[in-house]
């Protein structure tokens, strides 16, 4: 793969990752307002799962690991092993902020 190919894929990754972050944030806001909003929980899980896979495919290990940790936490909520609390929501939003920071950092790297 050439550097031009990598740059093109990186730009596509960043664009799609941004879309997932926006979906995650919107769904988390809905979940924060209504902890019983199952559709919002499922949307969050799906977007985090997609982001994890995309990051792994691109070799962005830190981003993939962080998304995997959020995915595991969301799965605990889906299985009703972990309740939705204000502290959990703070943790989820902090995780998404960290993901956003990693995406922003990637956009600054020119290959």
């Amino acid at each position: 793969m050439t550097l031009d190919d990598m740059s093109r894929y990186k730009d596509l990754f960043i664009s799609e990752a941004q879309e997932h972050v926006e979906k995650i944030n919107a769904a988390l806001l809905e979940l924060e307002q209504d902890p019983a909003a199952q559709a919002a929980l499922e949307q969050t899980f799906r977007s985090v799962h997609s982001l994890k896979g995309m990051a792994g495919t691109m070799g962005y290990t830190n981003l993939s690991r962080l998304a995997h940790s959020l995915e595991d936490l969301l799965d605990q909520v889906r299985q009703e092993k972990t309740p939705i609390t204000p502290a959990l929501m703070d943790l989820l939003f902090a995780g998404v902020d960290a993901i956003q920071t990693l995406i922003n950092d990637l956009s600054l790297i020119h290959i």
Side-chain angles (χ1 to χ4, degrees), residues 6-76:
M6 286 300 293
S7 178
R8 194 174 28 203
Y9 288 125
K10 184 187 90 169
D11 292 345
L12 180 61
F13 169 83
I14 290 170
S15 174
E16 289 185 14
Q18 282 299 139
E19 290 176 21
H20 282 294
V21 167
E22 289 171 16
K23 288 178 184 178
I24 293 166
N25 275 320
L28 285 178
L29 287 171
E30 184 179 340
L31 197 57
E32 186 175 44
Q33 293 299 314
D34 179 8
Q38 193 65 31
L41 177 60
E42 293 301 324
Q43 175 62 58
T44 304
F45 182 85
R46 279 191 311 275
S47 288
V48 169
H49 177 77
S50 295
L51 192 53
K52 176 193 76 171
M54 290 169 36
T57 299
M58 290 294 293
Y60 302 143
T61 307
N62 290 339
L63 183 52
S64 181
R65 286 181 182 157
L66 177 55
H68 185 77
S69 294
L70 285 178
E71 181 185 42
D72 286 347
L73 184 55
L74 289 163
D75 196 41
Q76 292 292 308

Side-chain angles (χ1 to χ4, degrees), residues 72-98:
D72 286 347
L73 184 55
L74 289 163
D75 196 41
Q76 292 292 308
V77 174
R78 290 169 76 208
Q79 294 177 33
E80 299 181 359
K81 294 179 180 177
T82 300
I84 296 174
T85 63
L88 176 69
M89 294 306 302
D90 288 346
L91 182 61
L92 291 170
F93 279 117
V96 177
D97 287 347

Side-chain angles (χ1 to χ4, degrees), residues 93-108:
F93 279 117
V96 177
D97 287 347
I99 285 172
Q100 182 65 67
T101 297
L102 290 171
I103 293 168
N104 291 347
D105 289 351
L106 286 171
S107 70
L108 297 175

